[in-house]
Amino acid sequence: MTLLELERALAAFVAENPGNCVETSYALRPEYVGTRIYEAPLMGCAAADDPLFAYMKQSKEIYGPTLRLPEEWLPGAVSVVSFFLPFTKEIRDSNRCDLTRPSDLWLHGRAEGQAFLDRATAYLAELLREAGGKVAIPSQDPEFYVIRDPARAERGEPPYVSNWSERHAAFTAGLGTFSLSKHLITEKGVSGRFSSLITDLPLTVTPRPYTDPYEYCTFCGACRKRCIVNAIGEKEKDNRICSGFQHQMRERFAPRHGCGKCQLSVPCETRRPKRSGAKMG
Ligand code: SF4
Ligand code: SF4
């Protein structure tokens, strides 16, 4: 099994699996049935012993001690595979205009889209196991956690604590860099979802074509203007304000939630933005 074979298998799964379309059983409106959720994926691979993982664990500013290293998820880990599924134009367009709430299709993209992402990850794990490997999926591991801690928010720290980050794995696997809006800018932009899995099979490591963690962000400020609750400042995003709004949306639209306005109608929506002439707005 090579990384290219794995990426092709994922692309076929995304193209052909009916779970990548809004289904009758849960559609909030009949006209949503059949809407595709994700476009073709991007995939990258990091070495499990890449020193960047240990560095992120040591650095409170970047991640901190709660991060579990690949070896801690899977003893004998060799490779960390990360992938990005970009949202389709239909999902993105639906959420562009009304800045007061997430669109129904966006809610589907976040909720049922996450369920499909989990299935796609489990499918890749099955392929790697069939090829003789051991696999761990941090986001589906019983020991995985994401906790919202209001006390941290009061201290001015990011309110969520977790022991694995899809964005940090994707950064390490060469998929893209962080942004002012705290997304990861890939060659296919920011609007979509990430997942990852760890295996003891050796796979070709993807080069990281960047050195700066924010290299792909132009700091143009367009995402700042899109935010309903002014969570994005000139230099950074206030996670407390963003997560507070997301929390409200979770209460209003349970079991679904979302926002995503800062991913849309911005230069990094579907591509890596060009740097020339960009200014903070
Ligand atoms: S809209 Fe501009 S500032 Fe915001 S994340 Fe994208 S490139 Fe960076
Ligand atoms: S997700 Fe919504 S609330 Fe959070 S920063 Fe983006 S636009 Fe603002």
Side-chain angles (χ1 to χ4, degrees), residues 82-102:
S82 169
F83 64 93
F84 176 64
L85 297 187
F87 283 131
T88 56
K89 187 171 187 311
E90 289 74 16
I91 299 287
R92 287 182 281 108
D93 282 351
S94 73
N95 198 36
R96 228 176 265 290
C97 295
D98 182 348
L99 293 182
T100 64
R101 54 153 288 182

Side-chain angles (χ1 to χ4, degrees), residues 6 10 42-46 53 67-68 70 73 79-85 114 117-118 120-122 124-125 128 135-141 144 163-173 175 193-199:
L6 204 63
L10 176 62
L42 289 176
M43 185 178 277
C45 179
F53 287 114
L67 179 68
R68 275 181 71 161
W73 291 107
S79 310
V80 178
V81 177
S82 169
F83 64 93
F84 176 64
L85 297 187
Q114 181 64 42
L117 185 73
D118 291 344
T121 312
L124 296 179
L128 290 167
V135 183
I137 302 175
S139 63
Q140 296 179 28
D141 192 287
F144 173 69
N163 55 2
W164 186 249
S165 160
E166 300 301 350
R167 289 176 311 131
H168 289 73
F171 176 85
T172 310
L175 283 182
R193 305 287 297 159
F194 291 90
S195 185
S196 61
L197 52 170
I198 301 167
T199 179

